[in-house]
Every structure is written in C-alpha cells, then in structure tokens.
Amino acid sequence: MMIMYIPKFKLCFWLLSVLCLINCSLEFDPTDNYLINCGSSTNASVGNRVFLGDSNLNSSIVLSTPQKIRANTSSSSIPFSYSSDLYKTAEIYTEISNYTLSVTKHGRHWVRLHFFPFVYQSYNLSHAKFSVSGLNFTLLRDFQLTEDNPVIKEYLLNIASDKLVLTITPSSKSFAFLNALEVVSVPDELIPDSVKPVDSAGSNENLVNQALETVFRVNMGNTTVNPQNDTLSREWVPDEAFLKSHNLVQFLSNPKPVNYTKVGPTKEIAPPSVYGTASWLNTERDPTLNVNVTWYFNVDLGFKYLVRFHFCDIINNQPGQLMFNVFINSWYAYKHLDLSNKTSNLVASPYYLDVVLSESHVDMLTVSVGTSSDTSVYPNAMLNGLEIMKISNSKGLLDVDAESLKPSSKAKTGLIVGVAVGAVFIFMVLALVFFMAVRRRKRTYSDATKNKSNGATESGYRFSFAAIKKATNNFDESLVIGVGGFGKVYKGVLEDNTEVAIKRGNSDSQQGLNEFRTEIEMLSHFRHRHLVSLIGYCDEQNEMILIYEYMVNGTLKSHLYGADYPNLSWKQRLEICVGSARGLYYLHTGSAKSIIHRDVKSANILLDENRMAKVADFGLSKTGPDIDHTHVSTAVKGSFGYLDPEYLIRQQLTEKSDVYSFGVVLFEVLCGRPVIDPSLPREKVNMVEWAMKLQKKGEFEKLIDPNLKAK
Ligand SMILES: *[C@@H]1O[C@H](CO)[C@@H](O)[C@H](O)[C@H]1NC(C)=O
Ligand SMILES: *[C@@H]1O[C@H](CO)[C@@H](O)[C@H](O)[C@H]1NC(C)=O
Ligand SMILES: *[C@@H]1O[C@H](CO)[C@@H](O)[C@H](O)[C@H]1NC(C)=O
Ligand SMILES: *[C@@H]1O[C@H](CO)[C@@H](O)[C@H](O)[C@H]1NC(C)=O
Ligand SMILES: *[C@@H]1O[C@H](CO)[C@@H](O)[C@H](O)[C@H]1NC(C)=O
Ligand SMILES: *[C@@H]1O[C@H](CO)[C@@H](O)[C@H](O)[C@H]1NC(C)=O
Ligand SMILES: *[C@@H]1O[C@H](CO)[C@@H](O)[C@H](O)[C@H]1NC(C)=O
Ligand SMILES: *[C@@H]1O[C@H](CO)[C@@H](O)[C@H](O)[C@H]1NC(C)=O
Ligand SMILES: *[C@@H]1O[C@H](CO)[C@@H](O)[C@H](O)[C@H]1NC(C)=O
Ligand SMILES: *[C@@H]1O[C@H](CO)[C@@H](O)[C@H](O)[C@H]1NC(C)=O
Ligand SMILES: *[C@@H]1O[C@H](CO)[C@@H](O)[C@H](O)[C@H]1NC(C)=O
C-alpha cells in the first residue's frame, strides 16, 4: 500500500537499486541465444539453460535439408555428468544441409557443436564423416569421431551480417549428424581486436576477421569447472593431465574469494572458480630454487594460436610478493611479471594476459611459469587458468589440412653428382647445395597427423622399467654396444622381437635430464628417414632410458677406421654423406625455427642394414638462432675436433656451426682417419689443421684415404 504513494521515479530508482544489487550475481544475458536439441521434439535442460526441441523452433532459425532423419537411442550409458537428454537424440544429414539463423547483435558468437555417437537403425554415428562451415570458415573438415564420449567443438565467429548460415556437408559416401547446436552472443570484451605475437617482433595479430576454435581450456588447481558454473557456459578441465612432472607443483583447489574490480577482468573473462584456484610452484624447501612449471599441449602444426593466461594472486595476503616469468615454448610471454602492478596493488584480484603464437613449429605447445631472477622477492610462480585458441589460417580453415601436412614426395633437391668430378669439389658442392644455395622451404612434416590427445607422454611409447630390464637381459654388459657421456647403449630385444638400441642415462645429473627431455621432444616431432627414430622411453624410478630403432651397421665412424667393418666404397661414402646431409637439412629447415644439432660427428651418424645414414643423438639440440640473442646462457657444447671455431669464440649458435661440424665429417669420410689422432706426427694430429696446411700447399690428394686411391 505504501508503494502507491511513492512517486513513480522514486519507485524506479528503488527498483533499479535492488536490481543493481542482484545484478552482481546476475548472469550475462546473451542477445542471440540459440540452443537446439537436434533431432528431438522435446526440450532438454542443461543446468538452467533450455535446449529447444527442433519442433519448438521459431522462424529465426531455419534448417534446410533435403531429408530429415531424427535419430534416437534409449542408451542410458552416456558418460557425462550433466545432460544425458541432449545426447539421446540426433539429426542425421545425408546431403548438404544448412542452418540459417538470424543474428540480432553483430559481433562474436559461440558456435558449439555437440556430438555423441550412437547406433540408430542402419546408421552407426561413429561412422559419420563430414565437414561443417560457417561464414567463410571451415570449422570441421572430413571430421570423424574417434571416441565414445560426447565431444563438444567450440568456435568463436565474428558475425558482421544479419544472418549466419552453417553448412553441414557429408563426405562422399557418408553422412553427418549433430546432437545439439549452440549459437550464442558473447560479450564484446571477450576477444580483443588484435594481440601481440610472442615469437616475433612483428606487428600485432589482427583477430577481427579470424575465426577461433577453443582447443584447450584449463583450470589450474586441478579442478573441473562445469559449464553451469561459468556465466558463458564454458567447461574448464583440470590441469594435472598436462603437467609432465609435478613434484614441485602445488594445487590450490579450494576456491579462494576473488576481488573483481571495475578495471580488471569481469566474471565473463573467467569465473571465480577459475581465478580462485591455482597451481603454484612450491619453493619453500629452497629459496634459491630456479625452476619452471610446464604444461604440455598437443596442437596442430601450421596454425597460429591465441593463448590467454589467467592470473590471480590468491596465495599472498600482501601485494608485491610475487614476480615470475611466463613462457610459451621458449619465448617470453612476460618477463618479470609483477601481478600487484597489474592489479593496482590489490591481492586476490584477477589479471589476464593474451599473446599470439604466430607459428607452431612443432606439434607441441608448452606453457611455463618460472621463478624470476629478480631476487627482491621470494621465488615463486603461479597460474590460475589457461585458454588456447586456434586461429583460422589464411585459407579460412580451422581443421587440420591433412594434405598440406603430408611430406612432399619429391626429394627436396635434385642433386646430381658427377662421378668424374674431383673428390674435394664434390664435397664442397654437397655442402653448398644443402646448406647455402637452397632456398628455405616451408615445413614438410612427415608425422604431423599423428593422433592428438591430451598430455605430453605420447611421444613414442612409455615403457615400463620391467620391460626394459627384460629386453636387455637386466642390462647385461655383454649387450653394451656403445658408451657415451650420457651413459651406456645396449642392444635389446622387445617382447615382439624387434631389435632396439637402448640408451640408459646416468640418472644423477641435471644436465642428463635436460638432454633426455630434449631428445624425446626432438625425436618425437622431427621424423625423417635420415633421422634415427625413437621407439619409446622409460622414466620410471628416475631412469632416463631412450629406445631407438636398432641400426645394424653401427656408426659411420666405425666404418671409416678403427673397427673391423669392411671398407666403404666411394659410392657408399657419397650416399652416406648425402643421406646425413638431408637429415641435417631437414632439421635446419623442416620447421619455422630451425633446429641446431650441436653434436654432428661421424659417431652420431648411424647406418641401417642397407647402410642408409641416419643422424642420431639429439640430446644437445637447440632451436636457434634467434633465442640465443636474448639469453647468452648456452654453454659451448659439442665434441672436440668438430667445434666451429667461430662458435667457440663468439658463443653464438647458428646452423652454420652444424655445417662446420658436417664439413669435418666430410673430411673424415675422405681421409679415413680420426679427427684427432695423437699417434700421428704432430703436424697431422688435428685433421682439420693438417687439411688446411695441405690445401695451402696445393697437396690435397695427400689427404685422401689410401683405400680410395685410384678408385
Ligand atoms: C526465436 O527463438 C530464439 C531462441 O531460440 C530467440 O532468441 C528469438 O528471439 C526468437 N525470435 C522470435 C521472433 O521470437
Ligand atoms: C520448450 O521451451 C520453449 C521455450 O521455453 C517453450 O515455449 C515450449 O513450450 C517448450 N516445449 C515443451 C514441449 O516443453
Ligand atoms: C525413438 O523415438 C520413437 C518415436 O518417438 C519411439 O517410438 C522409440 O521408442 C524411440 N526409440 C528409442 C530407442 O528411444
Ligand atoms: C546451403 O547453403 C549453400 C550456400 O549458402 C547453398 O549453396 C546450398 O544450396 C544450401 N543448401 C541447402 C540444402 O539449402
Ligand atoms: C559402430 O562403429 C564403431 C566404430 O567403428 C564400432 O566400434 C561399433 O561396434 C559399431 N557399433 C555397431 C552396433 O555396429
Ligand atoms: C566470404 O568471402 C567472399 C569472397 O571472399 C566475400 O565476398 C563474402 O562477403 C564473405 N562472406 C562472409 C559472410 O564473410
Ligand atoms: C587431478 O584431477 C584428476 C581429474 O579430476 C584426478 O584424477 C587426479 O587425481 C587429480 N590429481 C591430484 C594430485 O589431485
Ligand atoms: C576489493 O577491491 C576494492 C577496490 O576495488 C577494495 O576497496 C576492497 O577492499 C577489496 N576487497 C578485498 C576483500 O580485498
Ligand atoms: C560454482 O563455484 C562456486 C565457487 O566459486 C561453488 O561454491 C559452487 O559449488 C559451484 N557450483 C557448481 C555447480 O559447481
Ligand atoms: C624455463 O623455461 C624457459 C623457456 O623454455 C627457459 O628458457 C628457462 O631456461 C627455463 N628455466 C629453468 C630454470 O629451467
Ligand atoms: C606498474 O609499473 C609501471 C612501470 O614500472 C609503473 O609506471 C606503474 O606505476 C606501476 N603501477 C602500479 C600500480 O604499481
């Protein structure tokens, strides 16, 4: 009754204030909000969202399809925590079909496609194969489900017209299906127009005209955030599966209160359950500790990625206690990040950082946070959430372009070696052709389409220590085929009778551990017929064991001198040189960032049963040369006699250091003698010096392996 007497504007004001109070807990209200339960006549509720049965749809959304097939299943075995109803029906499309939706608000929209395969009459949805496109972007291309769990594909399209047409195209002789479809407006601030690249000094990446696909959305602190608990209905998965090693990581999984401010990110950027939990580095035991926490993500080659880091200092009660580095692969995403500075000295206040990785040169993206060398603060590092979004490429594709990732069938360079040409010149030509005169080519990965799953341990296979012991007859000394700085190499036989070489590292050195990791990483991403391939590894019980294909004919070195192998003919030597040059050339140019081997020598070139050469031992490999301009941390590594003098002096690593070492190998092949041979007269001890001397005197032929003379 009282209210009747309150003037209207006062009432409005009062209502507004109440609304304002409630507003803090109100969810974002999307303008366009299409939630469709495909193939069903009934609505399905997911949390507080209602997916409309397609017979309840109004004229704002039109499905044009030549043939309507509604599939259903009674299966109750849907392994999903929240809406099984959504996945009990599907629309099947046997020919090209379109959804045409009216768009009220221009700008970014989620497009989420839900898939859950079941069997309906003659349709086994697991066999469906199809493409989906929208605007001018290919979202899915000859897509097939590979698992029995519901799959949600999530995209962000920037829609600038009043209509969105989503086209579903079955691949030839197949069909398509959809269990549910979402097209929903997102807040304008969610995706910026342009973002700074992390791996080049180039200009910002313009995102306005690009489509994005969420490939990973991770909540640090190892807890799931369900779509119902996120105002934009996103799902955040726990991070443990992406950590390779987590003995230094602490999960803070009970959400702490988060202080959202007017200037900082909103709950739409990430909800409190993301900012309120974290994974952080536990350095309590050692304040001098200098380490990184690293998460590993399998990504598709050849795409750019938008990476968003979510931070919120929920550890400290005071500002200014936290400073750390943030990396993507080996690039700084942020050096000495001081969170307090970003949050106006408030603790528990969120901050996010966007960067673009403009070239995925391996199919693994790593994200690290690590202690900063700034000693004024206690060493620590943390991360609260992470999103990795694939950016559509120049062809408007978001799905793997399987064709472009196939290795080129042609040899890279047509190399014609005239037999009549003098030996020395051939070597020079070889070196030139492979390393200098050839224009750089784009990637040709041979193994890029291998299956992608979460986690990082799918590089080759992870073997149990028991299996290794069995394969090597409990590390029988009589099976040792090599000994190096890293440890011993055994010949082994696996369960399935495959012969393998098993390298067992000395587990006590930190250096060894780095080399172990580098080698696994390199060999699992760089596959080539002239690079030795990794079969698996074992890291149980602090072991560092690598399992390679067995190379029957041992090292190139052992064929040149000192062992009982029969002499190699000139032709065989040439083929070995060409092969190993190809392997090295691939390392240098097979990806956007070239890989420098750093330990090229005749003992690291192995020969298979056909005496085909394969380059081995990637423990010291590095990407280069750009990174080393920023930190001069790299100690000089390599083998005596093969080291590039320029690298020794300037400590700057480039591919040319490998070229130098390879040149030494070429001389070794030509001379048939060790690079350093103390048993020879002093002037001849160092092969390279000796060769230079003879060259000056014009007596090159004195160098040549006597076994080659007159052949
Ligand atoms: C049609 O339904 C959608 C939700 O599915 C709604 O956003 C839109 O406003 C409706 N349009 C009309 C004209 O009723
Ligand atoms: C489905 O939901 C819509 C919108 O909320 C409603 O209009 C319709 O009556 C519902 N249909 C059924 C069968 O519940
Ligand atoms: C599928 O739907 C039809 C028609 O609504 C119904 O008769 C049938 O029982 C349903 N089948 C399953 C497996 O739910
Ligand atoms: C779907 O849309 C495309 C392009 O807009 C058009 O070429 C095609 O005919 C449409 N198909 C159907 C079944 O409406
Ligand atoms: C459907 O296809 C999947 C994958 O090929 C297969 O594993 C499954 O057995 C098939 N189901 C039926 C009922 O044929
Ligand atoms: C698709 O591309 C064509 C040609 O590049 C362009 O004219 C058209 O506007 C684009 N359509 C949309 C929806 O962006
Ligand atoms: C992390 O989360 C996963 C999935 O919920 C769970 O299986 C695992 O035990 C958790 N790990 C830790 C250390 O809490
Ligand atoms: C949250 O931030 C505001 C400033 O935006 C500050 O006044 C308030 O004290 C903070 N609350 C807590 C719990 O830190
Ligand atoms: C959502 O998160 C809040 C904490 O931020 C928590 O209290 C609540 O239980 C969560 N709800 C669900 C459905 O997970
Ligand atoms: C942390 O990772 C970065 C990037 O890969 C690397 O440069 C740095 O050396 C690492 N720090 C430690 C202590 O391992
Ligand atoms: C953050 O750092 C910048 C540069 O050092 C400084 O200008 C600015 O005042 C700092 N802001 C806060 C809130 O400390």
Side-chain angles (χ1 to χ4, degrees):
M1 294 296 277
M2 285 294 287
I3 288 170
M4 305 274 284
Y5 299 97
I6 299 176
K8 245 190 189 152
F9 77 90
K10 273 202 172 170
L11 175 64
C12 283
F13 184 75
W14 179 79
L15 274 173
L16 271 175
S17 323
V18 173
L19 274 177
C20 234
L21 284 175
I22 301 168
N23 194 29
C24 310
S25 56
L26 272 186
E27 297 199 342
F28 167 74
D29 186 17
T31 315
D32 294 314
N33 192 17
Y34 296 100
L35 306 174
I36 302 155
N37 183 14
C38 302
S40 172
S41 54
T42 58
N43 298 343
S45 291
V46 180
N48 53 4
R49 300 196 306 159
V50 180
F51 283 70
L52 300 186
D54 55 14
S55 44
N56 298 331
L57 298 175
N58 63 25
S59 59
S60 307
I61 174 163
V62 177
L63 166 63
S64 51
T65 178
Q67 191 188 8
K68 264 197 169 162
I69 304 175
R70 286 175 157 189
N72 63 356
T73 178
S74 58
S75 167
S76 53
S77 63
I78 298 167
F80 206 55
S81 56
Y82 65 107
S83 174
S84 46
D85 278 355
L86 215 50
Y87 299 114
K88 282 186 176 159
T89 61
E91 183 88 40
I92 292 175
Y93 318 92
T94 53
E95 285 171 62
I96 297 185
S97 305
N98 292 335
Y99 277 99
T100 306
L101 305 97
S102 308
V103 173
T104 311
K105 184 176 181 290
H106 291 182
R108 292 267 171 200
H109 286 68
W110 297 122
V111 172
R112 295 195 181 107
L113 309 172
H114 297 247
F115 303 104
F116 175 68
F118 54 79
V119 177
Y120 174 73
Q121 295 176 356
S122 62
Y123 295 97
N124 182 343
L125 300 188
S126 298
H127 297 164
K129 188 174 174 190
F130 54 96
S131 303
V132 178
S133 62
L135 298 180
N136 280 343
F137 300 103
T138 301
L139 309 181
L140 289 172
R141 189 176 156 121
D142 291 332
F143 172 70
Q144 270 182 304
L145 282 143
T146 50
E147 47 188 313
D148 285 341
N149 292 325
V151 170
I152 304 174
K153 291 280 182 179
E154 184 185 277
Y155 306 91
L156 272 168
L157 300 186
N158 199 1
I159 308 176
S161 58
D162 296 340
K163 268 195 172 33
L164 170 66
V165 180
L166 285 175
T167 306
I168 300 169
T169 312
S171 304
S172 72
K173 296 188 189 124
S174 193
F175 59 96
F177 77 99
L178 251 186
N179 298 79
L181 169 67
E182 297 176 46
V183 177
V184 181
S185 309
V186 306
D188 292 333
E189 78 263 19
L190 191 70
I191 301 295
D193 288 349
S194 73
V195 172
K196 205 168 135 284
V198 69
D199 48 351
S200 77
S203 54
N204 282 7
E205 180 71 23
N206 187 327
L207 299 177
V208 174
N209 298 315
Q210 310 296 343
L212 302 173
E213 178 188 355
T214 310
V215 284
F216 295 100
R217 180 176 288 129
V218 185
N219 183 28
M220 280 49 195
N222 199 40
T223 48
T224 307
V225 176
N226 290 327
Q228 295 97 305
N229 220 5
D230 178 301
T231 52
L232 301 185
S233 306
R234 293 163 292 201
E235 183 175 23
W236 303 71
V237 302
D239 65 318
E240 194 196 33
F242 304 101
L243 284 164
K244 195 181 265 177
S245 129
H246 48 83
N247 39 15
L248 287 167
V249 182
Q250 291 211 328
F251 296 129
L252 211 163
S253 350
N254 286 329
K256 292 266 167 69
V258 176
N259 198 355
Y260 286 90
T261 60
K262 286 205 182 73
V263 287
T266 60
K267 284 180 185 160
E268 277 66 53
I269 297 292
S273 35
V274 170
Y275 282 123
T277 59
S279 294
W280 60 294
L281 191 56
N282 179 10
T283 55
E284 262 170 63
R285 278 168 291 167
D286 182 1
T288 63
L289 206 60
N290 178 17
V291 280
N292 291 337
V293 183
T294 304
W295 292 265
Y296 295 79
F297 301 92
N298 289 109
V299 293
D300 287 329
L301 287 164
F303 283 94
K304 301 181 178 191
Y305 289 88
L306 169 63
V307 180
R308 174 168 292 178
F309 298 87
H310 296 277
F311 300 105
C312 184
D313 182 0
I314 47 170
I315 307 170
N316 298 295
N317 299 321
Q318 285 174 353
Q321 301 298 302
L322 199 54
M323 188 182 282
F324 53 91
N325 294 324
V326 185
F327 301 97
I328 293 181
N329 294 347
S330 36
W331 289 280
Y332 275 107
Y334 208 109
K335 202 170 180 174
H336 306 320
L337 175 61
D338 173 4
L339 279 185
S340 313
N341 182 286
K342 301 290 176 189
T343 59
S344 325
N345 286 321
L346 287 173
V347 288
S349 189
Y351 168 70
Y352 71 97
L353 172 68
D354 282 340
V355 287
V356 160
L357 178 69
S358 45
E359 193 79 70
S360 56
H361 82 287
V362 288
D363 58 1
M364 175 88 69
L365 189 157
T366 65
V367 163
S368 313
V369 291
T371 52
S372 159
S373 56
D374 188 310
T375 48
S376 67
V377 293
Y378 201 72
N380 212 329
M382 71 180 304
L383 187 59
N384 302 61
L386 183 77
E387 292 172 274
I388 301 178
M389 289 176 244
K390 193 198 264 183
I391 302 172
S392 56
N393 67 13
S394 55
K395 291 180 191 146
L397 296 172
L398 270 170
D399 207 354
V400 186
D401 185 356
E403 282 306 305
S404 75
L405 292 175
K406 277 195 188 139
S408 71
S409 51
K410 286 177 292 177
K412 285 179 179 170
T413 34
L415 187 87
I416 301 153
V417 180
V419 194
V421 185
V424 176
F425 280 105
I426 291 176
F427 281 107
M428 289 180 165
V429 168
L430 271 175
L432 269 173
V433 165
F434 280 103
F435 300 108
M436 287 156 205
V438 181
R439 75 191 153 86
R440 291 179 71 91
R441 289 176 53 118
K442 276 266 159 194
R443 62 173 53 80
T444 52
Y445 287 89
S446 55
D447 191 43
T449 46
K450 68 179 188 223
N451 72 319
K452 309 172 287 150
S453 63
N454 301 345
T457 50
E458 46 115 1
S459 32
Y461 293 99
R462 190 173 186 168
F463 283 75
S464 69
F465 189 53
I468 304 290
K469 282 216 288 216
K470 196 162 171 213
T472 55
N473 199 10
N474 201 10
F475 300 103
D476 189 339
E477 287 295 310
S478 72
L479 293 175
V480 172
I481 50 175
V483 182
F486 180 91
K488 286 181 181 167
V489 184
Y490 300 80
K491 182 180 173 183
V493 181
L494 296 180
E495 205 82 277
D496 64 356
N497 284 330
T498 331
E499 289 189 325
V500 290
I502 295 178
K503 186 159 89 170
R504 186 188 194 189
N506 308 318
S507 52
D508 41 5
S509 76
Q510 176 65 26
Q511 188 55 47
L513 187 61
N514 287 340
E515 289 177 19
F516 177 67
R517 289 192 182 132
T518 311
E519 183 133 20
I520 293 179
E521 222 156 285
M522 292 296 165
L523 284 176
S524 43
H525 298 131
F526 290 83
R527 285 180 190 274
H528 189 272
R529 61 201 299 251
H530 291 295
L531 300 182
V532 80
S533 39
L534 186 70
I535 290 173
Y537 67 97
C538 167
D539 57 359
E540 261 177 44
Q541 304 174 16
N542 280 333
E543 289 287 344
M544 295 185 289
I545 295 173
L546 293 165
I547 303 122
Y548 311 90
E549 59 178 320
Y550 179 63
M551 300 289 281
V552 183
N553 272 310
T555 67
L556 167 61
K557 181 179 176 172
S558 62
H559 284 260
L560 292 175
Y561 47 83
D564 299 335
Y565 286 105
N567 248 299
L568 293 171
S569 72
W570 178 234
K571 185 161 178 279
Q572 286 171 328
R573 293 184 196 207
L574 277 181
E575 277 164 2
I576 289 165
C577 291
V578 172
S580 35
R582 280 191 207 281
L584 272 180
Y585 175 70
Y586 174 78
L587 271 188
H588 288 174
T589 61
S591 67
K593 276 267 167 293
S594 72
I595 302 297
I596 303 170
H597 184 288
R598 292 176 80 206
D599 201 10
V600 176
K601 55 182 177 182
S602 57
N604 281 342
I605 293 171
L606 304 181
L607 305 179
D608 73 0
E609 64 275 18
N610 303 317
R611 290 207 185 78
M612 188 171 87
K614 298 195 182 205
V615 180
D617 211 335
F618 295 84
L620 296 179
S621 305
K622 282 235 178 232
T623 46
D626 318 30
I627 335 157
D628 280 68
H629 292 321
T630 50
H631 16 156
V632 199
S633 56
T634 321
V636 170
K637 294 269 167 61
S639 295
F640 193 53
Y642 293 88
L643 274 180
D644 168 16
E646 217 173 297
Y647 165 49
L648 264 176
I649 294 161
R650 300 177 56 208
Q651 307 222 348
Q652 242 178 41
L653 197 59
T654 73
E655 301 96 313
K656 288 175 191 157
S657 312
D658 278 354
V659 176
Y660 180 91
S661 308
F662 186 67
V664 178
V665 172
L666 294 181
F667 270 120
E668 235 180 314
V669 169
L670 183 63
C671 307
R673 56 154 283 184
V675 174
I676 304 288
D677 187 348
S679 69
L680 291 173
R682 195 179 186 145
E683 51 174 5
K684 296 185 182 174
V685 169
N686 184 323
M687 182 190 70
V688 174
E689 278 174 15
W690 176 232
M692 302 287 259
K693 220 169 268 170
L694 289 183
Q695 191 227 0
K696 276 195 194 119
K697 287 199 222 161
E699 298 176 332
F700 238 131
E701 67 285 351
K702 283 194 184 167
L703 270 175
I704 294 173
D705 187 344
N707 288 313
L708 289 176
K709 289 233 164 98
K711 292 180 190 159

